[in-house]
Amino acid sequence: MSSTAIGMIETKGFVAALAAADAMVKAANVTITDRQEVGDGLVAVVIAGEVGAVKAATEAGAETASQVGELVSVHVIPRPHAELGGHFDVSAK
């Protein structure tokens, strides 16, 4: 059983996303795997790492994004199915 996880934070605005990404990699041993500008100012940052580290990192990122700008959504997927990697850019590089 894998102990890896994927974490995602979506913000309104690039500055909040950048601040959240910085807070996440400083808070825990995680890797930023993707950044998507969804449209209408929405920016999503995707991280990967051990389940506990991803949970801690997304909590830190969410707190920072809320202070700097607008936090839209946070989600953690523990032990993602291997097939996700074929359809989404979520694997650690």
Side-chain angles (χ1 to χ4, degrees):
M1 185 182 311
S2 174
S3 62
T4 61
I6 298 168
M8 298 155 282
I9 287 187
E10 187 174 49
T11 66
K12 181 85 172 189
F14 185 79
V15 173
L18 182 62
D22 180 59
M24 289 191 289
V25 296
K26 287 179 178 175
N29 185 22
V30 294
T31 303
I32 298 173
T33 62
D34 197 18
R35 177 188 50 85
Q36 293 287 323
E37 295 181 20
V38 182
D40 291 334
L42 296 176
V43 181
V45 178
V46 181
I47 61 169
E50 298 293 315
V51 175
V54 169
K55 286 182 179 181
T58 54
E59 288 174 8
E63 178 68 28
T64 300
S66 295
Q67 292 173 353
V68 173
E70 184 180 340
L71 176 67
V72 176
S73 183
V74 179
H75 191 66
V76 174
I77 301 174
R79 299 175 310 280
H81 192 280
E83 194 169 318
L84 283 180
H87 301 282
F88 297 93
D89 187 14
V90 294
S91 61
K93 295 180 175 149

